[in-house]
Amino acid sequence: SAGPGANAIPLQGALHLTYDGPSGTITLARTEFTTPHTNIKLDGSTGKQSSLSIQAHSDDLREVDQMVLIARHAASAGHPPLRATLEPTGISGSGSFDGQLRGSMKNPQLTGHVSGTNLQYQGTTVSAFQVNVALGPSEVTLSQGQLQTAEQGRIQFNAAAGLTNWAYTPQSQIRLDLTAARVPAATVERMANLHYPVTGAL
């Protein structure tokens, strides 16, 4: 539970774990966690040279949003002012991730494919979404991204942002290549939370 009045999320699963002390390697096999709307499967090892397969799917991202909020509340336990400002993002729909965690635990590299359908955010509906993701301590890269709005608008994009120890800073460099077709200006404004007297399609 994230706090008073919040709903608890039941969790069940199976954990098969082997730990090798001399090499510092943790091996997971047939490991799975399930909530009412989300399923996560892990298979592989982590350590000096990780190779861990991750598969996740949720048919209701509102549950994932709530779980992230619970984790953020737990992480901010010693900072009451921060806890008071934490709110869910409000995203809904279904989504999947299929990827690999590789490299050492000091410098892990996460790569994979993210997809979603019927996503809703800031009053905007995205019929279909997919992108390849590469994430490390110093950079996040999005490639071959495709997005289709409910109004049949299409967006293709590639993006990259520099990170400092996993964190984005105002000094971080950003690169974005984007092509859009038949995207209503009102949709862009809602997604960016902007308010200008602009109509038409981009």
Side-chain angles (χ1 to χ4, degrees):
S1 174
N7 294 325
I9 299 176
L11 169 71
Q12 62 182 7
L15 173 65
H16 302 95
L17 180 149
T18 303
Y19 175 65
D20 186 301
S23 66
T25 300
I26 297 175
T27 301
L28 300 171
R30 306 182 316 280
T31 294
E32 183 174 5
F33 300 99
T34 302
T35 63
H37 297 284
T38 305
N39 177 262
I40 300 174
K41 295 181 180 179
L42 304 172
D43 199 338
S45 61
T46 64
K48 294 180 180 179
Q49 286 300 323
S50 302
S51 180
L52 180 67
S53 172
I54 305 171
Q55 293 180 318
H57 174 75
S58 175
D59 60 22
D60 189 348
L61 291 174
R62 291 176 299 180
E63 182 185 72
V64 176
D65 198 12
Q66 185 66 26
M67 287 191 289
V68 171
L69 183 63
I70 291 171
R72 293 175 66 194
H73 268 271
S76 63
H79 305 276
L82 177 60
R83 289 174 61 92
T85 62
L86 295 178
E87 297 289 342
T89 64
I91 192 171
S92 64
S94 63
S96 299
F97 174 79
D98 189 353
Q100 291 276 336
L101 179 67
R102 299 187 183 277
S104 67
M105 293 308 295
K106 291 184 179 180
N107 187 32
Q109 303 292 323
L110 179 67
T111 59
H113 182 77
V114 178
S115 61
T117 57
N118 296 322
L119 303 177
Q120 295 187 7
Y121 178 70
Q122 297 279 27
T124 298
T125 299
V126 174
S127 302
F129 171 83
Q130 62 177 341
V131 68
N132 296 320
V133 178
L135 174 63
S138 61
E139 186 179 48
V140 56
T141 301
L142 307 177
S143 60
Q144 297 180 321
Q146 298 184 38
L147 182 154
Q148 180 175 324
T149 70
E151 302 88 353
Q152 300 304 307
R154 293 183 178 274
I155 297 175
Q156 297 177 319
F157 63 93
N158 295 285
L163 303 176
T164 302
N165 194 25
W166 301 100
Y168 173 80
T169 68
Q171 292 75 35
S172 299
Q173 292 188 345
I174 299 176
R175 185 182 71 252
L176 173 65
D177 303 314
L178 184 145
T179 302
R182 301 189 303 277
V183 178
T187 297
V188 177
E189 288 198 82
R190 286 197 301 269
M191 294 178 68
N193 196 26
L194 300 174
H195 305 282
Y196 293 108
V198 178
T199 60
L202 301 176

